[in-house]
Amino acid sequence: MIFDAIVVGLGAMGSAALYQLAKQTPNVLGLDQFAPPHTLGSTHGDTRITRQAIGEGAHFVPLALRSYDIWRELEQRTGDQLLTITGGLFIGQEHSPVQMHNKPGWLTTTIRAAEQFGITHRLLDHAALRREFPQFRYCPGDIGYYEEEAGYLKPERCISVQLEQAQQYGASVRINERMVAFDATKTGITVRTEQGVYQTRKLILTTGSWIRESLRHTPYQELLTVYRQVLYWFAIEGDYTQYTPDKLPVFILSERDLYGFPAVGGPAGGLKIATETYDHATSPQVVDRTVSEAETRRMYEEHVAPNFIGVGPACVKSVVCLYTMTPNGDFIIDQHPDHPDVLLASACSGHGFKHSAAVGQILAELALQNRTSFSIEPFQLSRSR
């Protein structure tokens, strides 16, 4: 049997790709070395911010908007709630060059993207910020961008729902099966796993931080860098009702490299707050997945206490995830440099989940029609350098 497409790696983008493929043909296979959704990659931790005006570049906006449509379609099909609208508050200094996800001028680009695409938003001066959102400690000169349709996704459920839907359309899924190699043949691609051998016309690699293994011996083998990130949930000591989604939106403090979510886990569930660190490269094989008391204390003292009111030092829980970064902070959506029948989509560069549903559509279109309705030139390997 020759599959029309095989997807290896069934996280954010892989589950989306398998779902979009299966809507067009049941003759597709999804493989994962673990049992998704799992906690060993980049798509776990209960919540992921989604927003429409993308400060990492206006070329991301069509992906974000299409992903909103797909999440809503999936919700209608299944009855699951995947996307919760809370509004989004993004705080920074006007015209600041501060980078996020390797992109300078993040807040300014966000505002310009909202204006370009007609995304509903408000701009808040310092006084308005203090009046409307007293949960934060502000710096002189802070301004706010408030986006009405921002919110959060449930990453584990998004992955599960897309895999379930793909299987309902006829796709095959094999978990706990690791790919060890792939080879080009006259009829397509041979995929070898620890359990078997499969033939396919197109192979889609959405293996997250493991994508580096597939780029060995190519000019891009050193292109991607993997970083360890920690997500924290700190105890709320103030009035809990001030931190629920009706009072607190998802938020990004761009000058302070912080982001987080309203309290959605009940009074004992804490407030999810995280920063992004790029000090030491790692790999999924050797990353330290434990979080020490010392780094939790440092996170609170350096990032939480100076920026939040009513959030205490007790850490309810913490988890480790991985960022796979390109030098310019964009994604990779391209053919493998040595194999035109192999597609790559990885290096989410820390902001991929909100776009993943649309990326799945792009991959399905490329695999089955050899073209896509989206502009993907910015995501070519050659551009990522």
Side-chain angles (χ1 to χ4, degrees), residues 67-78:
S67 291
Y68 267 71
D69 293 339
I70 295 172
W71 301 129
R72 292 308 192 200
E73 291 167 8
L74 282 163
E75 287 178 331
Q76 288 185 345
R77 281 185 58 85
T78 65

Side-chain angles (χ1 to χ4, degrees), residues 27-350:
N27 188 32
V28 290
L29 170 66
L31 296 168
D32 198 286
Q33 63 179 324
F34 305 115
H38 56 77
T39 61
L40 299 173
S42 307
T43 52
H44 57 282
D46 302 341
T47 51
R48 284 288 185 276
I49 288 177
T50 188
R51 44 193 165 91
Q52 296 184 339
I54 307 300
E56 289 82 358
H59 53 291
F60 287 101
V61 175
L63 304 185
L65 295 176
R66 176 57 185 144
S67 291
Y68 267 71
D69 293 339
I70 295 172
W71 301 129
R72 292 308 192 200
E73 291 167 8
L74 282 163
E75 287 178 331
Q76 288 185 345
R77 281 185 58 85
T78 65
D80 276 83
Q81 184 178 10
L82 306 176
L83 168 61
T84 299
I85 301 299
T86 62
L89 178 63
F90 309 141
I91 302 167
Q93 300 278 309
E94 191 170 10
H95 307 306
S96 171
V98 165
Q99 290 195 144
M100 277 193 65
H101 304 131
N102 293 352
K103 296 287 188 176
W106 181 86
L107 187 59
T108 299
T109 303
T110 296
I111 295 169
R112 288 176 179 168
E115 294 169 346
Q116 178 182 345
F117 286 89
I119 294 165
T120 303
H121 68 284
R122 294 186 291 131
L123 299 182
L124 290 77
D125 61 18
H126 191 86
L129 283 173
R130 292 173 62 89
R131 181 176 64 253
E132 293 190 38
F133 301 104
Q135 302 93 336
F136 301 96
R137 303 183 192 277
Y138 296 100
C139 297
D142 275 348
I143 64 167
Y145 165 92
Y146 182 84
E147 183 176 295
E148 289 188 8
E149 292 298 310
Y152 65 85
L153 295 157
K154 299 175 182 176
E156 291 92 346
R157 194 66 198 129
C158 289
I159 290 170
S160 294
V161 163
Q162 289 178 106
L163 293 179
E164 290 162 6
Q165 289 297 304
Q167 288 173 290
Q168 285 191 21
Y169 279 114
S172 301
V173 173
R174 294 185 64 88
I175 61 173
N176 297 311
E177 183 165 346
R178 188 174 74 90
M179 181 184 74
V180 294
F182 64 87
D183 304 291
T185 69
K186 291 183 179 179
T187 57
I189 302 293
T190 298
V191 177
R192 304 180 189 278
T193 75
E194 292 176 334
Q195 282 96 322
V197 179
Y198 306 94
Q199 304 291 328
T200 182
R201 296 180 179 87
K202 295 286 185 178
L203 173 62
I204 299 174
L205 299 177
T206 46
T207 52
S209 298
W210 288 267
I211 198 72
R212 299 175 74 206
E213 299 174 16
S214 300
L215 289 171
R216 286 179 184 171
H217 313 301
T218 76
Y220 304 98
Q221 61 183 350
E222 302 299 329
L223 178 69
L224 308 179
T225 308
V226 178
Y227 296 98
R228 174 183 180 269
Q229 309 292 344
V230 183
L231 314 175
Y232 299 89
W233 285 256
F234 284 97
I236 296 170
E237 293 185 341
D239 179 0
Y240 173 75
T241 63
Q242 292 297 305
Y243 300 89
T244 53
D246 57 326
K247 294 288 184 65
L248 183 66
V250 298
F251 54 85
I252 297 173
L253 284 62
S254 59
E255 300 291 317
R256 283 150 276 186
D257 201 21
L258 277 171
Y259 69 93
F261 301 80
V264 296
L271 196 70
K272 182 180 175 183
I273 304 171
T275 187
E276 297 176 345
T277 56
Y278 304 101
D279 296 331
H280 305 290
T282 186
S283 74
Q285 292 84 3
V286 303
V287 63
D288 183 358
R289 298 187 184 276
T290 61
V291 182
S292 70
E293 291 184 10
E295 65 181 320
T296 300
R297 184 169 58 252
R298 186 165 59 249
M299 172 70 179
Y300 181 79
E301 293 173 351
E302 295 181 4
H303 298 286
V304 179
N307 293 300
F308 297 89
I309 296 170
V311 181
C315 186
V316 175
K317 69 173 179 176
S318 57
V319 298
V320 171
C321 76
L322 299 172
Y323 278 10
T324 308
M325 302 292 296
T326 59
N328 67 359
D330 281 339
F331 305 158
I332 292 172
I333 307 173
D334 204 352
Q335 294 174 322
H336 189 283
D338 295 334
H339 304 287
D341 289 327
V342 178
L343 300 172
L344 303 172
S346 192
C348 292
S349 296

